[in-house]
């Protein structure tokens, strides 16, 4: 039974006896036990909180030794990986600082008008990007710790959980996840900006896809990509070769939420890699294409949009993390 502060006086009064105390109550042992009663009650009440917080404390214990200290963070080399807990949180890859030309030319096969005008974006500092889209295992750890809600979201529709990318999560759900991850690590986890997402997907390439100008076969999971999951379901993350930055599933499998509000083109877009969060933010950008997309929609420059509260069987997300400058 949990006893509130307001209830404690009434509870204690019920323990008092109105009749004459029996002889044994005058014994020294009874006096000693009675003196210790407040302490025992406090211990019992405290145990209630301990039991409720057991999972969180276990998780914190698993996290603390793995969280990067400032010197170690500044010493990270490009393309190295780290994970800030023993299990249940994403593996991160250090993406180097640099610049790229964002968008696509009108001559690119599959080009849409919202992919222009092309513009140069400069990243002054490296960033960390999750090696894979957030998986069901990652999401379920957040749910178990009370950081994410499960009801009405993150349904695997019988395809399997574990290493498959989490689906049926909205932009708002993704925000809850990164807030939880930031809270348990004390580090600035977040969704990627749209510019960061394209930079990470291109991995230094200037072609339509990170591997070349054509979609080819078995380079990702899409409708016509030439593998067992084509237009059927998600594939376990890491089922295809990584790009030059060591990132998997940047093209296909699931669309991935980014931080930016959707704009119909890049006129006035930031050039420093930050998220574009002005204007109508009822729609947020999704990137990468999915298992149900046509091959051309897996192009690095391709853009999609969804309402912030939408949950679909082909949309997940990937996380980023701001790093201290070297």
């Amino acid at each position: 039974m949990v006893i509130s502060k307001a209830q404690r006086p009434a509870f204690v009064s019920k323990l008092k006896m109105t009749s004459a105390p029996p002889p044994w109550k005058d014994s020294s042992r009874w006096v000693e036990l009675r003196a210790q009663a407040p302490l025992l009650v406090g211990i019992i009440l405290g145990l209630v909180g301990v039991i409720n917080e057991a999972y969180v404390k276990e998780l914190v214990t698993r996290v603390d030794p793995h969280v990067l200290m400032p010197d170690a963070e500044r010493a990270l080399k490009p393309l190295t990986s780290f994970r800030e807990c023993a299990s249940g949180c994403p593996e991160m890859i250090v993406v180097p600082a640099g610049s790229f030309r964002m968008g696509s030319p009108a001559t690119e096969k599959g080009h849409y008008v919202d992919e222009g005008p092309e513009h140069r974006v400069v990243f002054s500092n490296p960033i960390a990007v999750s090696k894979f889209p957030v998986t069901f295992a990652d999401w379920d750890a957040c749910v178990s710790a009370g950081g994410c809600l499960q009801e009405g979201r993150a349904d695997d529709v019988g395809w399997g959980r574990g290493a498959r990318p989490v689906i049926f999560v909205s932009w708002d759900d993704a925000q809850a996840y990164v807030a939880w991850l930031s809270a348990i690590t004390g580090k600035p986890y977040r969704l990627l900006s749209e510019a960061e997402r394209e930079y990470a997907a291109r991995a230094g390439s200037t072609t339509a896809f990170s591997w070349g100008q054509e979609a080819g076969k078995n380079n990702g999971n899409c409708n016509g990509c030439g593998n067992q999951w084509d237009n059927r379901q998600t594939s376990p993350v890491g089922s295809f070769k990584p790009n030059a930055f060591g990132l998997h599933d940047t093209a296909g499998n699931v669309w991935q939420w980014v931080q930016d509000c959707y704009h119909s083109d890049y006129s006035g877009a930031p050039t420093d890699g930050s998220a574009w969060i002005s204007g109508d933010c009822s729609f947020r950008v999704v990137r990468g294409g999915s298992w149900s997309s046509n091959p051309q929609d897996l192009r690095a420059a391709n853009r999609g949009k969804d309402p912030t509260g939408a949950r679909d069987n082909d949309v997940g997300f990937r996380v980023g993390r701001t790093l201290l400058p070297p």
Side-chain angles (χ1 to χ4, degrees):
M1 179 174 62
V2 178
I3 305 164
S4 68
K5 289 181 179 179
Q7 293 172 319
R8 285 177 192 171
F11 177 78
V12 172
S13 67
K14 289 178 182 179
L15 297 178
K16 295 179 180 179
M17 299 186 65
T18 56
S19 58
W24 54 265
K25 294 192 71 174
D26 292 328
S27 68
S28 60
R29 180 57 178 161
W30 169 252
V31 172
E32 181 182 353
L33 288 173
R34 188 171 182 179
Q36 293 175 349
L39 176 61
L40 292 173
V41 170
I43 291 173
I44 292 169
L45 293 173
L47 282 174
V48 174
V50 170
I51 292 169
N52 290 339
E53 296 175 7
Y55 183 86
V56 175
K57 288 188 176 182
E58 178 189 351
L59 186 61
V60 170
T61 300
R62 286 190 282 139
V63 167
D64 283 346
H66 301 272
V67 173
L68 291 174
M69 295 296 102
D71 288 345
E73 186 172 328
R74 290 190 177 94
L76 288 169
K77 301 298 182 184
L79 310 188
T80 57
S81 66
F82 65 90
R83 191 197 301 268
E84 293 188 282
C85 65
S87 62
C89 62
E91 181 179 357
M92 308 297 291
I93 301 286
V94 179
V95 170
S99 66
F100 82 115
R101 194 162 181 81
M102 186 174 182
S104 69
T107 55
E108 183 171 290
K109 183 180 178 180
H111 168 86
Y112 293 103
V113 294
D114 67 351
E115 297 169 15
E118 291 183 276
H119 57 288
R120 182 153 296 278
V121 177
V122 178
F123 298 93
S124 300
N125 294 305
I127 57 172
V129 178
S130 60
K131 185 175 183 177
F132 309 107
V134 170
T135 64
F136 273 104
D138 298 328
W139 176 266
D140 289 344
C142 181
V143 171
S144 295
C148 298
L149 298 175
Q150 181 59 44
E151 186 177 358
R153 50 184 65 77
D155 184 357
D156 69 328
V157 293
W159 296 345
R161 299 181 81 80
R164 297 213 180 223
V166 67
I167 52 175
F168 285 109
V169 284
S170 67
W171 185 88
D172 297 317
D173 296 331
Q175 294 295 333
Y177 178 85
V178 294
W180 169 77
L181 193 56
S182 297
I184 66 167
T185 61
K187 299 296 181 178
Y189 283 88
R190 53 183 175 77
L191 291 182
L192 295 170
S193 72
E194 186 175 13
E196 289 171 336
R197 177 60 175 72
E198 184 171 331
Y199 179 65
R202 288 188 177 278
S205 68
T206 58
T207 48
F209 305 90
S210 65
W211 56 82
Q213 288 290 9
E214 299 296 330
K217 294 296 181 182
N218 210 33
N219 290 310
N221 182 8
C222 75
N223 181 8
C225 279
N227 60 74
Q228 69 194 76
W229 301 286
D230 275 21
N231 201 31
R232 292 188 179 93
Q233 58 183 248
T234 60
S235 51
V237 299
S239 295
F240 304 94
K241 292 181 180 179
N243 66 15
F245 284 164
L247 304 173
H248 292 261
D249 299 287
T250 59
N253 208 5
V254 289
W255 292 94
Q256 294 160 27
W257 291 109
V258 297
Q259 186 68 22
D260 300 50
C261 309
Y262 179 78
H263 295 78
S264 60
D265 62 30
Y266 289 135
S267 299
T271 58
D272 61 356
S274 60
W276 196 4
I277 53 174
S278 62
D280 181 7
C281 290
S282 59
F283 282 83
R284 299 282 176 159
V285 177
V286 291
R287 283 296 199 118
S290 78
W291 57 271
S292 62
S293 301
N294 293 323
Q296 291 304 315
D297 285 345
L298 272 60
R299 292 176 303 109
N302 186 47
R303 310 172 69 209
K305 66 177 182 177
D306 259 337
T308 58
R311 299 186 179 102
D312 298 302
N313 64 2
D314 60 352
V315 179
F317 64 101
R318 185 184 295 265
V319 301
R321 178 186 175 314
T322 303
L323 294 174
L324 295 173

